[in-house]
Each structure stands twice: as structure tokens, then as C-alpha cells.
Amino acid sequence: MEQREGLLVSVILPAYNVANYLDDCLESAISQTYTDTEIIIVDDGSTDDTAKKADDWLSKDGRIRVIHRQNGGLSAARNTGLHYAQGEFIIFIDPDDRIDKNLISKCMELLSDGSVSLVHYGYRLINENGVLCGKNFPDMLTNAEKLLPTILSDKIPSHSWQFLCRKELYSDIRFPEGRKAEDLATTYKIVAKAKKCVILPDCLYEYRVRSNSILGELTSDHSKAIKYYEDELLAFHEIIDWAIAQKREDYQNLAWNNELMHLFNHYKERIVIDDNLGTKWVHNKICKELSAFNVDGVTSSNRFKAFLFRFGFMPFCYRVMGKLKKRVKSILRKE
């Protein structure tokens, strides 16, 4: 299928204190085989050299635009990018990541068909030095019609950078400002609104695993962890309310089980690092969620975890598992 000319793609990079990675990201963006693009860097009040590096790129490629704003968080930066985007199509890239040179081209081959609204693809994992350390292929057993339920059940992550779509899908949708877990609160709306989704069987995005990432900070910072959990729960409740309004009990059950799975994982995390306040907080949320939902909709895995939780076995199991994992790592290091 040939690509029609004049189909502008807006590439939005919300950037905050990523001076060490921005050049690598932008090199991958300007090296795309599909060249009808505008690249919008939204400097979200960075305190390092990110703003200067972004401005330096203005003289290197005429497709690049830089917007400087006061720090407002990732959602606010993305929304600013959407406001200024002039393209018919939107793709988000986190500025510490990279994209395959053929990513946009492969997506646009499919989006040139007017019936397709969104293209979903897999991603590779790279470390802080840019070295490949893993892959996350799309689930090819999931067809376009099953993409939304697969995301709602967390079999596919709800990353906002894992798809390229028509800008019209964002016409009445914005990222929730002042909140974490913003992708969880947004992606399902975009996928649900799309007329037709296509899944590419390729890992075309490179996600950089960083020790000081938002998710990495959850382990060491109690207050940030609880803030993230609160926003995540709010997103899940919004999804469930949306599913109820759509009269989709299947979506409601998928989202609720996904929420419960996340809560059990957070409970384990807090127990393993001996965060008593965090453990108590998650414990209370699990109790509340279990009492509010129809038990018939609970998966077998969550039923088992709920049994361990109700009878007080879960903390013991998680602590034993945590100690065993540390022991195994210690043995492997010695070898």
C-alpha cells in the first residue's frame, strides 16, 4: 500500500531533565524513513541542560519546534504538545527512549487506509547505555477487536507511546493533569474511540529502563508510592464507571480484576521492603475493593490471593518469597 503525500505526523516529546538522553531520542526521530513529520519538544520547566539542548536542535532540523513551559508534570506537557500539534496523526515518544527508523513509515502504510484509526506495536527494552536487554512483542493472538479487552486485563500495557493514531481521537480526550498513572487513565479511551485498530507484529519502540524512573522511585519513596497507588486506583475506578455506563459487564470485570491484581502486587512490594505504613494502606484498599465487588467476577488467581489475604497467610508467603529471592540472587552473585 502506497503512502499518500501530505499526511503530517506530529511527534510529541514531553521533556523534563533528560539532557543525557535527548540527543539520542531526537536522532531516532529525525532519521525516520517517513519524513512528513513535525517534532514538538515540550520542555516542562527542566532544571538541567534539557532546554538548551532542545533549542540547539532548532538549527539542525526545520521540522523541530520547541515549547518552553513551567513545570506541570508529564500530563500537562503532553496536553501542551497536543494543543500545538498541526498533524493529522499523533505519536508520543518519551525523550529518554528511541524509535526504530521505520516505525512511522510502517504505521502510515496502514493508516493510509481511511478505515484504520490506530496502529499498535511492540517495544524493545534498552538499558541506560542504550544496550538491548529485552523485548515485548505484541500479542498476535489478539486481533483488533480484542485490543481493548486485552489492555483492560493488562495482558498488553496501556502505554501512550505504544501506538500511532489519528489526531481526531484526542479531540475530546486529554491526559489528567496533576496525576500519575496517566496512561492507564487515557489509553483505553483512545482505543475504545478508534474505528479500527491494527496490530503490527514488530518491536519498533525502544523503552529505556532507568534506575531513577518514576516506577523505580516507588520502591524507595513511600510518599511517591502512595501517591502513585492513589492515582492508579482513581484511574481504575474511572474505567469501571465507564464500563458500567457502556453496559459492558465483561469490561467491568476485566478492569476490576486488573485493579485487584495491581493492589496485590503493591501489597507484596510494601511487605518485602518492610514499609508498614504502605502495607497498611494497601491492606485497607484491598479490603474495601473485595467487599464492593461481585465475587462471581473474580478470576481464579485473584480468588486464591483473596483467600490468602483474608486468612492472614499472604504477608508470611510474601516475606518468605522475598527472602528466597534475595538468597538466590546472593548465590548467583557468588558463582
Side-chain angles (χ1 to χ4, degrees):
M1 184 182 300
E2 294 185 0
Q3 300 167 11
R4 297 200 307 270
E5 294 182 1
L7 297 177
L8 181 65
V9 178
S10 295
V11 182
I12 301 175
L13 282 75
Y16 177 72
N17 288 357
V18 287
N20 292 337
Y21 308 105
L22 186 61
D23 288 345
D24 200 19
C25 178
L26 286 169
E27 284 287 355
S28 72
I30 67 170
S31 301
Q32 291 294 296
T33 54
Y34 187 93
T35 59
D36 198 357
T37 61
E38 64 169 358
I39 301 166
I40 304 173
I41 307 170
V42 183
D43 167 41
D44 190 36
S46 297
T47 56
D48 66 356
D49 290 335
T50 296
K52 182 181 181 304
K53 283 206 170 188
D55 287 338
D56 288 344
W57 275 89
L58 290 172
S59 61
K60 298 178 183 179
D61 195 303
R63 295 172 295 172
I64 292 177
R65 301 163 63 193
V66 180
I67 300 164
H68 299 286
R69 51 160 293 140
Q70 290 185 336
N71 180 253
L74 178 57
S75 289
R78 284 177 175 167
N79 290 340
T80 297
L82 285 170
H83 175 76
Y84 285 98
Q86 298 177 354
E88 299 175 58
F89 300 87
I90 298 290
I91 179 174
F92 287 100
I93 308 175
D94 284 356
D96 50 352
D97 298 338
R98 300 185 309 215
I99 56 175
D100 184 281
K101 67 179 182 179
N102 294 312
L103 186 153
I104 296 178
S105 177
K106 287 187 175 183
C107 289
M108 291 305 294
E109 285 179 9
L110 298 167
L111 286 162
S112 294
D113 178 349
S115 67
V116 178
S117 300
L118 180 149
V119 179
H120 189 278
Y121 40 81
Y123 59 96
R124 299 187 286 266
L125 300 174
I126 57 175
N127 64 19
E128 290 182 284
N129 297 318
V131 178
L132 180 67
C133 57
K135 294 183 179 182
N136 191 311
F137 285 98
D139 184 356
M140 294 315 298
L141 297 178
T142 299
N143 57 32
E145 288 72 26
K146 292 182 179 179
L147 180 59
L148 179 57
T150 306
I151 288 174
L152 292 177
S153 62
D154 203 37
K155 292 179 180 178
I156 291 179
S158 55
H159 301 307
S160 63
W161 41 256
Q162 207 176 346
F163 58 86
L164 195 157
C165 70
R166 296 182 182 276
K167 183 184 178 183
E168 63 194 34
L169 296 183
Y170 284 101
S171 62
D172 58 350
I173 296 173
R174 288 296 183 268
F175 293 91
E177 299 188 14
R179 285 167 53 178
K180 303 295 184 183
E182 60 284 321
D183 289 354
L184 178 65
T186 309
T187 299
Y188 77 95
K189 298 178 184 178
I190 299 295
V191 175
K193 191 177 177 182
K195 291 186 298 183
K196 180 180 178 182
C197 300
V198 176
I199 299 174
L200 268 174
D202 303 310
C203 294
L204 299 171
Y205 189 98
E206 294 188 344
Y207 173 77
R208 194 181 303 269
V209 181
R210 295 168 54 196
S211 57
N212 62 341
S213 65
I214 293 174
L215 294 180
E217 291 177 345
L218 301 186
T219 301
S220 57
D221 193 313
H222 166 83
S223 60
K224 287 185 178 180
I226 297 304
K227 167 62 176 170
Y228 186 90
Y229 298 163
E230 286 176 340
D231 289 344
E232 187 181 70
L233 271 178
L234 176 56
F236 275 122
H237 290 166
E238 289 172 349
I239 295 171
I240 291 169
D241 289 343
W242 169 83
I244 292 172
Q246 298 293 316
K247 298 181 180 180
R248 292 297 302 257
E249 186 177 359
D250 53 341
Y251 289 175
Q252 181 184 353
N253 287 339
L254 288 172
W256 187 81
N257 276 288
N258 189 2
E259 173 195 342
L260 194 57
M261 178 187 69
H262 276 75
L263 281 172
F264 281 133
N265 287 338
H266 299 331
Y267 191 57
K268 176 182 177 181
E269 293 163 1
R270 295 298 109 189
I271 287 173
V272 169
I273 65 173
D274 291 324
D275 176 10
N276 293 328
L277 288 176
T279 300
K280 184 177 180 180
W281 187 92
V282 180
H283 180 280
N284 292 338
K285 294 299 179 182
I286 293 175
C287 289
K288 183 177 180 180
E289 295 303 316
L290 286 174
S291 65
F293 201 80
N294 181 5
V295 70
D296 293 335
V298 183
T299 63
S300 57
S301 174
N302 279 335
R303 282 176 189 266
F304 178 67
K305 291 176 183 177
F307 170 82
L308 293 176
F309 177 81
R310 285 187 173 120
F311 288 94
F313 299 138
M314 187 168 277
F316 172 77
C317 292
Y318 281 159
R319 286 193 177 96
V320 170
M321 288 169 59
K323 289 179 180 179
L324 286 174
K325 188 177 291 186
K326 287 181 180 179
R327 179 61 178 163
V328 170
K329 286 183 178 180
S330 176
I331 294 172
L332 291 174
R333 279 197 297 268
K334 289 179 181 179
E335 291 179 352

